[in-house]
Amino acid sequence: MTLFCALLTLAVALLSAGPAVLADQTTTINPSANFGTWEGWGTSLAWWAKAFGTQTVLADIFFTRNSVSFNGRTLPGLGLNVIRYNAGASSTNKDPDGDSMVKSPNIKASRQIDTFWPDWTSTDPNSSSWTWTVDANQRNMMTLAIARGANLVELFSNSPVWWMCYNLNPSGSQSGSTDNLESWNYDQHAIYLANVAQYAATHWNVTFTSVEAFNEPSATYWVGPTGTQEGCHFDVSTMSTVIGFLRSELNSRGLTKTIVSASDEETYDLAISTFNGLTSTALSNVGRINVHGYQGGGGRRDVLYADVSGKGKKLWNSEYGDSDGTGSSLASNLILDFVWLHPTAWVYWQVLDVSGWGLITADDDAKTTGAPSQKYFVLAQFTRHIRPGMRIIDGGSSNTVSAYDASAKKLVIVAVNWSSAQTINFDLSKFSTPGTNGALVQRWATQIGSSGTQYTAFNDTFISGTKFWSNFGQNVIMTFEVQNVVM
């Protein structure tokens, strides 16, 4: 071979591999880590579904991955598959003593969820004879979601039914720091939830995956006279007792596969304290630990994961919300959850809510909807690509999340750049087959902020050997899908 031919061959090889890039950051994906099989993404149906539960377009937006026309624009469906159905605590009925519910003057009608009401004329008014006047819109949205692929449905309670409460107020006790569930009604709270679950199974063909009896139970802000929603404080000892009753009542109705979840504490640190305070019997009756993400960037996510996984329990972030419509807080805290908490499902509280809080701006009382925030598109980077059944692996850095689909041989990487514009290099050398040299890596980008790129696909990234790279602007989040990857 002549010198000219040799040089020409070398040049062609270099060009086919792509241009040489000096990356500002390199992250090496580690497939040996296994943080569990992803179960899904979700939302609570209280309160937005009470207001908008008949709108099929919203079911398409939230529970499919289709492109959906909405308010003059096209949105990428989020593909949520987890829904939390709220068993209400409010009603206008009187109990046998002639008592009526005490209503907080600050609670909006949209935040009062109708209870399943017992038939007090039956021989045993606390058994299975009930008047089933339910929140029809919330139930309708549940039906629409299931029809679109939602497969994990949790029944949860914000407060015991008002007639079980010391002060007859489902917004909390007089002080907020004491139990409001009457001690003689510990079992009735469990009976109520088990009856709802049984009715759903026999009349709606819905078998709840799990039932949760508490919501942020250690909090001291559930103050009945000033409350703005249904809520109730529970001491840890009370939780342990109710958990036992709930497991027994579910079993007696043949719902042995429906697990008891607990305790939906507001923060990671409170969840640690409650988890370690439950009796061993209570823990044996709990199938999954739920926690809320309202500690933001604080709290010991790692300790909670170690404690929960050490007892062989699954862990969900069952409620997260923030008022930052830019998506910055969501992206930061969600990545922290993946890196340190390792939940197997993640639930956004109100997909429709006031500006900032909602993924789409809405007014539950006026029943009006507005535009999506950038936060909607930031969340889409995760929900549309990290799908149920994938294995969560180590993304290799504090700003990277990774998941692997063994059946499709597909690697998903979600990464965010908080710094000034830079090139990030993704090293797949730890995989036995790191994709195909020269193959396309599809990517999607969203600008975190008040405006900018929403959710845009690009076909401009290619594998070079065991690596690929991309140029990130500041506050940009991207998702990459790499095909033909073998662990």
Side-chain angles (χ1 to χ4, degrees):
M1 179 183 293
T2 66
L3 178 60
F4 172 78
C5 290
L7 292 173
L8 181 61
T9 300
L10 176 60
V12 169
L14 290 172
L15 286 172
S16 65
V21 171
L22 181 61
D24 298 295
Q25 176 187 335
T26 296
T27 182
T28 301
I29 312 300
N30 178 12
S32 65
N34 185 352
F35 297 122
T37 300
W38 190 247
E39 295 182 81
W41 305 92
T43 184
S44 165
L45 298 182
W47 308 295
W48 68 272
K50 178 179 179 180
F52 303 101
T54 61
Q55 296 194 22
T56 57
V57 66
L58 294 176
D60 291 337
I61 289 171
F62 297 126
F63 303 109
T64 79
R65 287 188 289 166
N66 300 335
S67 295
V68 183
S69 296
F70 179 73
N71 287 355
R73 67 183 72 200
T74 300
L75 299 181
L78 294 180
L80 308 181
N81 68 300
V82 178
I83 49 178
R84 303 189 76 219
Y85 182 91
N86 183 212
S90 301
S91 79
T92 57
N93 302 62
K94 293 181 181 291
D95 69 11
D97 297 325
D99 292 324
S100 299
M101 182 183 78
V102 175
K103 175 186 173 184
S104 168
N106 299 326
I107 191 170
K108 297 180 179 179
S110 60
R111 297 186 179 186
Q112 289 180 288
I113 304 299
D114 293 336
T115 183
F116 290 68
W117 190 252
D119 177 6
W120 294 107
T121 64
S122 67
T123 304
D124 182 2
N126 294 320
S127 65
S128 59
S129 183
W130 298 67
T131 300
W132 301 99
T133 53
V134 302
D135 178 358
N137 283 356
Q138 187 186 184
R139 178 194 165 189
N140 189 69
M141 183 54 71
M142 177 172 64
T143 301
L144 293 173
I146 292 171
R148 284 157 177 77
N151 63 331
L152 298 177
V153 187
E154 179 165 72
L155 174 67
F156 79 101
S157 169
N158 283 325
S159 167
V161 179
W162 66 265
W163 55 264
M164 301 180 194
C165 298
Y166 282 112
N167 62 358
L168 306 179
N169 188 336
S171 290
S173 66
Q174 295 304 104
S175 67
S177 59
T178 58
D179 283 8
N180 205 26
L181 175 62
E182 295 165 329
S183 58
W184 54 91
N185 276 326
Y186 287 174
D187 61 336
Q188 298 308 316
H189 185 38
I191 287 169
Y192 170 68
L193 292 173
N195 278 340
V196 175
Q198 182 184 35
Y199 189 89
T202 57
H203 291 79
W204 301 345
N205 196 31
V206 174
T207 299
F208 289 112
T209 308
S210 53
V211 180
E212 165 64 287
F214 320 111
N215 179 65
E216 300 177 2
S218 293
T220 58
Y221 43 67
W222 304 124
V223 181
T226 59
T228 59
Q229 66 178 82
E230 296 176 351
C232 185
H233 175 90
F234 289 86
D235 289 339
V236 177
S237 60
T238 307
M239 294 184 226
S240 291
T241 302
V242 171
I243 286 169
F245 281 128
L246 181 55
R247 180 68 272 161
S248 177
E249 295 297 334
L250 290 170
N251 290 348
S252 70
R253 289 160 178 76
L255 299 174
T256 56
K257 293 184 179 179
T258 296
I259 68 172
V260 173
S261 53
S263 289
D264 278 84
E265 291 288 10
E266 176 198 14
T267 68
Y268 309 110
D269 290 346
L270 276 175
I272 294 167
S273 176
T274 296
F275 179 80
N276 290 311
L278 292 173
T279 65
S280 59
T281 301
L283 275 180
S284 70
N285 287 320
V286 171
R288 185 183 65 241
I289 298 300
N290 287 359
V291 66
H292 295 180
Y294 294 114
Q295 204 165 355
R300 294 302 304 269
R301 289 169 166 90
D302 56 335
V303 173
L304 179 58
Y305 171 70
D307 287 352
V308 172
S309 62
K311 295 291 185 180
K313 307 293 183 183
K314 289 185 176 181
L315 177 61
W316 280 14
N317 187 330
S318 56
E319 183 179 314
Y320 173 87
D322 65 55
S323 60
D324 176 12
T326 69
S328 177
S329 297
L330 181 144
S332 175
N333 291 319
L334 182 46
I335 290 175
L336 283 172
D337 280 348
F338 272 107
V339 171
W340 298 108
L341 184 67
H342 309 302
T344 55
W346 195 91
V347 178
Y348 193 81
W349 169 226
Q350 294 291 287
V351 289
L352 291 175
D353 205 346
V354 297
S355 179
W357 278 93
L359 303 179
I360 296 176
T361 301
D363 186 322
D364 292 347
D365 295 285
K367 294 182 173 58
T368 57
T369 57
S373 64
Q374 283 295 102
K375 178 159 58 178
Y376 178 99
F377 303 103
V378 170
L379 184 57
Q381 293 284 344
F382 296 90
T383 66
R384 288 176 58 85
H385 302 278
I386 298 176
R387 301 300 301 162
M390 290 186 175
R391 171 175 163 175
I392 305 303
I393 60 178
D394 183 2
S397 69
S398 61
N399 64 324
T400 306
V401 173
S402 191
Y404 180 70
D405 184 338
S407 60
K409 298 181 180 178
K410 178 172 68 176
L411 176 67
V412 174
I413 300 170
V414 184
V416 64
N417 176 45
W418 302 112
S419 307
S420 56
Q422 64 172 324
T423 298
I424 299 180
N425 199 41
F426 298 95
D427 186 344
L428 312 185
S429 60
K430 291 189 176 182
F431 290 86
S432 62
T433 303
T436 304
N437 186 41
L440 172 69
V441 176
Q442 287 187 293
R443 71 177 178 96
W444 294 259
T446 295
Q447 178 68 55
I448 296 170
S450 58
S451 61
T453 302
Q454 294 181 332
Y455 179 82
T456 304
F458 298 89
N459 293 318
D460 58 2
T461 303
F462 301 89
I463 296 177
S464 176
T466 62
K467 299 177 182 178
F468 70 90
W469 48 83
S470 190
N471 298 318
F472 283 71
Q474 186 173 16
N475 297 330
V476 168
I477 185 168
M478 291 193 204
T479 300
F480 304 88
E481 291 192 355
V482 188
Q483 307 295 334
N484 299 315
V485 175
V486 179
M487 298 186 77

